[in-house]
Amino acid sequence: MPAARESLLDAAYTALGRRPWAAVRMVDVAAVAGVSRQTLYNEFGSKEGLARALVRREADAYLAGVERALVSRPEPRERLAAAAEWTTSAARGNALVRAMLTGCWGERLPSPTLSAVPSSSSVPAQRRADGPLPSPGDFVALVRDRAVASLAASGGPRSEAAELARACELAVRLGVSCVLAPAGEGDTAGLVRDALATVRSVV
């Protein structure tokens, strides 16, 4: 029941915006989603399962945004700047994305175990969130690899693969650093452009 699942995740996300995760009640999430509490438990197994699924969804949405940013401009340097700018804006607007990128979960947020967890849930495997969740270092690697693939596939720079990966990682890490210490609206892209200007042969 994908529609009910999304409604439940939406309800959980809304509830998290209003109160700490510890105060979010499963019965309230189910009521807002318009389903029974049993449906909620059938779908996620537990509150921890709901938290993991919510974090996984927000991680996937963040990465989808990265991929959109990487095809939003014609020039490689501008594409990396757009991805870094997306990183800071996504983290600014979503506490879960910020926590995932920085590892700073805080008391208001769920703090799911990043490693895989055993499950006896009857929920189909493709809909469970039992697998490992990305750490901040994983996100750097995931975004870097997406950037490298995007730039290489579009006929971008023909530099050595290691140099391209290094330039992409530099852009990603600058974006994440601006999450931790904001550079001001729009300034993240400028920092990335300036930094990448020193590696002109790559991007």
mmCIF file of all heavy atoms in Angstrom, residues 96-121:
data_model
loop_
_atom_site.group_PDB
_atom_site.id
_atom_site.type_symbol
_atom_site.label_atom_id
_atom_site.label_comp_id
_atom_site.label_asym_id
_atom_site.label_seq_id
_atom_site.Cartn_x
_atom_site.Cartn_y
_atom_site.Cartn_z
ATOM 1 N N LEU A 96 16.312 16.716 9.060
ATOM 2 C CA LEU A 96 16.828 15.358 8.889
ATOM 3 C C LEU A 96 17.988 15.335 7.897
ATOM 4 O O LEU A 96 18.984 14.645 8.114
ATOM 5 C CB LEU A 96 15.716 14.412 8.427
ATOM 6 C CG LEU A 96 14.672 14.061 9.483
ATOM 7 C CD1 LEU A 96 13.551 13.238 8.865
ATOM 8 C CD2 LEU A 96 15.300 13.316 10.655
ATOM 9 N N VAL A 97 17.879 16.090 6.810
ATOM 10 C CA VAL A 97 18.988 16.161 5.852
ATOM 11 C C VAL A 97 20.209 16.767 6.528
ATOM 12 O O VAL A 97 21.329 16.264 6.385
ATOM 13 C CB VAL A 97 18.582 16.974 4.603
ATOM 14 C CG1 VAL A 97 19.793 17.246 3.716
ATOM 15 C CG2 VAL A 97 17.510 16.234 3.811
ATOM 16 N N ARG A 98 20.003 17.827 7.275
ATOM 17 C CA ARG A 98 21.124 18.452 7.990
ATOM 18 C C ARG A 98 21.799 17.448 8.926
ATOM 19 O O ARG A 98 23.031 17.338 8.967
ATOM 20 C CB ARG A 98 20.632 19.665 8.789
ATOM 21 C CG ARG A 98 21.736 20.380 9.528
ATOM 22 C CD ARG A 98 21.205 21.590 10.306
ATOM 23 N NE ARG A 98 22.269 22.221 11.045
ATOM 24 C CZ ARG A 98 23.108 23.130 10.557
ATOM 25 N NH1 ARG A 98 22.987 23.510 9.292
ATOM 26 N NH2 ARG A 98 24.067 23.634 11.292
ATOM 27 N N ALA A 99 21.001 16.690 9.671
ATOM 28 C CA ALA A 99 21.561 15.699 10.595
ATOM 29 C C ALA A 99 22.316 14.609 9.847
ATOM 30 O O ALA A 99 23.397 14.187 10.265
ATOM 31 C CB ALA A 99 20.450 15.093 11.447
ATOM 32 N N MET A 100 21.769 14.156 8.723
ATOM 33 C CA MET A 100 22.432 13.110 7.957
ATOM 34 C C MET A 100 23.773 13.578 7.403
ATOM 35 O O MET A 100 24.747 12.834 7.382
ATOM 36 C CB MET A 100 21.534 12.635 6.812
ATOM 37 C CG MET A 100 20.382 11.770 7.273
ATOM 38 S SD MET A 100 19.423 11.126 5.885
ATOM 39 C CE MET A 100 18.328 12.498 5.548
ATOM 40 N N LEU A 101 23.822 14.824 6.954
ATOM 41 C CA LEU A 101 25.054 15.338 6.359
ATOM 42 C C LEU A 101 26.127 15.656 7.390
ATOM 43 O O LEU A 101 27.318 15.588 7.093
ATOM 44 C CB LEU A 101 24.753 16.599 5.541
ATOM 45 C CG LEU A 101 23.949 16.385 4.260
ATOM 46 C CD1 LEU A 101 23.563 17.729 3.657
ATOM 47 C CD2 LEU A 101 24.738 15.550 3.260
ATOM 48 N N THR A 102 25.708 16.019 8.592
ATOM 49 C CA THR A 102 26.668 16.452 9.611
ATOM 50 C C THR A 102 26.897 15.423 10.710
ATOM 51 O O THR A 102 27.893 15.504 11.438
ATOM 52 C CB THR A 102 26.195 17.753 10.277
ATOM 53 O OG1 THR A 102 24.958 17.503 10.966
ATOM 54 C CG2 THR A 102 26.003 18.859 9.254
ATOM 55 N N GLY A 103 25.968 14.489 10.880
ATOM 56 C CA GLY A 103 26.059 13.538 11.984
ATOM 57 C C GLY A 103 25.586 14.117 13.309
ATOM 58 O O GLY A 103 25.704 13.470 14.348
ATOM 59 N N CYS A 104 25.037 15.331 13.290
ATOM 60 C CA CYS A 104 24.551 15.997 14.510
ATOM 61 C C CYS A 104 23.039 15.833 14.597
ATOM 62 O O CYS A 104 22.298 16.636 14.015
ATOM 63 C CB CYS A 104 24.929 17.485 14.484
ATOM 64 S SG CYS A 104 26.703 17.767 14.334
ATOM 65 N N TRP A 105 22.593 14.815 15.317
ATOM 66 C CA TRP A 105 21.169 14.491 15.327
ATOM 67 C C TRP A 105 20.373 15.316 16.327
ATOM 68 O O TRP A 105 19.223 15.643 16.085
ATOM 69 C CB TRP A 105 20.980 12.987 15.568
ATOM 70 C CG TRP A 105 21.360 12.221 14.348
ATOM 71 C CD1 TRP A 105 22.593 11.747 14.031
ATOM 72 C CD2 TRP A 105 20.517 11.918 13.240
ATOM 73 N NE1 TRP A 105 22.574 11.155 12.790
ATOM 74 C CE2 TRP A 105 21.308 11.232 12.286
ATOM 75 C CE3 TRP A 105 19.175 12.136 12.964
ATOM 76 C CZ2 TRP A 105 20.788 10.775 11.076
ATOM 77 C CZ3 TRP A 105 18.659 11.680 11.758
ATOM 78 C CH2 TRP A 105 19.463 11.004 10.831
ATOM 79 N N GLY A 106 20.919 15.641 17.443
ATOM 80 C CA GLY A 106 20.189 16.459 18.405
ATOM 81 C C GLY A 106 19.070 15.690 19.088
ATOM 82 O O GLY A 106 18.671 14.602 18.666
ATOM 83 N N GLU A 107 18.532 16.288 20.140
ATOM 84 C CA GLU A 107 17.531 15.603 20.955
ATOM 85 C C GLU A 107 16.144 15.592 20.318
ATOM 86 O O GLU A 107 15.314 14.747 20.653
ATOM 87 C CB GLU A 107 17.445 16.267 22.340
ATOM 88 C CG GLU A 107 18.719 16.121 23.149
ATOM 89 C CD GLU A 107 18.634 16.825 24.489
ATOM 90 O OE1 GLU A 107 17.582 17.427 24.798
ATOM 91 O OE2 GLU A 107 19.630 16.767 25.231
ATOM 92 N N ARG A 108 15.855 16.512 19.415
ATOM 93 C CA ARG A 108 14.523 16.585 18.815
ATOM 94 C C ARG A 108 14.304 15.535 17.721
ATOM 95 O O ARG A 108 13.168 15.243 17.358
ATOM 96 C CB ARG A 108 14.280 17.969 18.208
ATOM 97 C CG ARG A 108 14.109 19.072 19.227
ATOM 98 C CD ARG A 108 13.633 20.339 18.563
ATOM 99 N NE ARG A 108 12.400 20.170 17.808
ATOM 100 C CZ ARG A 108 11.178 20.248 18.319
ATOM 101 N NH1 ARG A 108 11.012 20.468 19.597
ATOM 102 N NH2 ARG A 108 10.119 20.078 17.544
ATOM 103 N N LEU A 109 15.381 15.004 17.191
ATOM 104 C CA LEU A 109 15.283 14.123 16.034
ATOM 105 C C LEU A 109 15.383 12.660 16.429
ATOM 106 O O LEU A 109 15.953 12.323 17.467
ATOM 107 C CB LEU A 109 16.403 14.445 15.051
ATOM 108 C CG LEU A 109 16.421 15.862 14.491
ATOM 109 C CD1 LEU A 109 17.649 16.068 13.620
ATOM 110 C CD2 LEU A 109 15.154 16.149 13.699
ATOM 111 N N PRO A 110 14.861 11.785 15.572
ATOM 112 C CA PRO A 110 15.144 10.360 15.797
ATOM 113 C C PRO A 110 16.632 10.142 15.563
ATOM 114 O O PRO A 110 17.268 10.897 14.815
ATOM 115 C CB PRO A 110 14.299 9.663 14.714
ATOM 116 C CG PRO A 110 14.104 10.681 13.658
ATOM 117 C CD PRO A 110 14.086 12.014 14.359
ATOM 118 N N SER A 111 17.189 9.158 16.193
ATOM 119 C CA SER A 111 18.602 8.854 15.948
ATOM 120 C C SER A 111 18.732 7.369 15.634
ATOM 121 O O SER A 111 19.191 6.584 16.449
ATOM 122 C CB SER A 111 19.463 9.241 17.155
ATOM 123 O OG SER A 111 18.947 8.666 18.329
ATOM 124 N N PRO A 112 18.301 6.994 14.439
ATOM 125 C CA PRO A 112 18.339 5.573 14.087
ATOM 126 C C PRO A 112 19.761 5.072 13.952
ATOM 127 O O PRO A 112 20.673 5.821 13.582
ATOM 128 C CB PRO A 112 17.611 5.533 12.737
ATOM 129 C CG PRO A 112 17.794 6.896 12.178
ATOM 130 C CD PRO A 112 17.821 7.824 13.350
ATOM 131 N N THR A 113 19.952 3.814 14.267
ATOM 132 C CA THR A 113 21.247 3.168 14.085
ATOM 133 C C THR A 113 21.586 3.177 12.602
ATOM 134 O O THR A 113 20.742 2.834 11.774
ATOM 135 C CB THR A 113 21.172 1.710 14.591
ATOM 136 O OG1 THR A 113 20.710 1.720 15.929
ATOM 137 C CG2 THR A 113 22.519 1.031 14.503
ATOM 138 N N LEU A 114 22.801 3.590 12.255
ATOM 139 C CA LEU A 114 23.167 3.666 10.845
ATOM 140 C C LEU A 114 23.443 2.295 10.244
ATOM 141 O O LEU A 114 23.259 2.096 9.047
ATOM 142 C CB LEU A 114 24.398 4.561 10.664
ATOM 143 C CG LEU A 114 24.198 6.044 11.002
ATOM 144 C CD1 LEU A 114 25.488 6.819 10.752
ATOM 145 C CD2 LEU A 114 23.058 6.647 10.219
ATOM 146 N N SER A 115 23.857 1.348 11.075
ATOM 147 C CA SER A 115 24.138 0.018 10.540
ATOM 148 C C SER A 115 22.827 -0.716 10.256
ATOM 149 O O SER A 115 21.760 -0.324 10.714
ATOM 150 C CB SER A 115 24.979 -0.776 11.532
ATOM 151 O OG SER A 115 24.295 -0.886 12.762
ATOM 152 N N ALA A 116 22.938 -1.787 9.500
ATOM 153 C CA ALA A 116 21.758 -2.596 9.201
ATOM 154 C C ALA A 116 21.211 -3.190 10.492
ATOM 155 O O ALA A 116 21.957 -3.440 11.438
ATOM 156 C CB ALA A 116 22.135 -3.706 8.223
ATOM 157 N N VAL A 117 19.906 -3.382 10.528
ATOM 158 C CA VAL A 117 19.284 -3.962 11.708
ATOM 159 C C VAL A 117 18.527 -5.222 11.306
ATOM 160 O O VAL A 117 17.964 -5.283 10.217
ATOM 161 C CB VAL A 117 18.313 -2.957 12.388
ATOM 162 C CG1 VAL A 117 19.073 -1.767 12.927
ATOM 163 C CG2 VAL A 117 17.218 -2.505 11.444
ATOM 164 N N PRO A 118 18.506 -6.232 12.182
ATOM 165 C CA PRO A 118 17.735 -7.433 11.864
ATOM 166 C C PRO A 118 16.247 -7.120 11.911
ATOM 167 O O PRO A 118 15.805 -6.260 12.660
ATOM 168 C CB PRO A 118 18.131 -8.415 12.977
ATOM 169 C CG PRO A 118 18.595 -7.551 14.103
ATOM 170 C CD PRO A 118 19.182 -6.320 13.475
ATOM 171 N N SER A 119 15.484 -7.782 11.095
ATOM 172 C CA SER A 119 14.051 -7.527 11.069
ATOM 173 C C SER A 119 13.275 -8.825 10.963
ATOM 174 O O SER A 119 13.653 -9.737 10.247
ATOM 175 C CB SER A 119 13.682 -6.633 9.890
ATOM 176 O OG SER A 119 12.294 -6.469 9.815
ATOM 177 N N SER A 120 12.176 -8.876 11.701
ATOM 178 C CA SER A 120 11.241 -9.995 11.567
ATOM 179 C C SER A 120 9.943 -9.480 10.948
ATOM 180 O O SER A 120 8.927 -10.147 10.971
ATOM 181 C CB SER A 120 10.977 -10.622 12.937
ATOM 182 O OG SER A 120 10.434 -9.634 13.804
ATOM 183 N N SER A 121 10.002 -8.261 10.392
ATOM 184 C CA SER A 121 8.814 -7.627 9.824
ATOM 185 C C SER A 121 8.314 -8.399 8.617
ATOM 186 O O SER A 121 9.085 -8.935 7.827
ATOM 187 C CB SER A 121 9.135 -6.186 9.420
ATOM 188 O OG SER A 121 8.051 -5.624 8.735
#
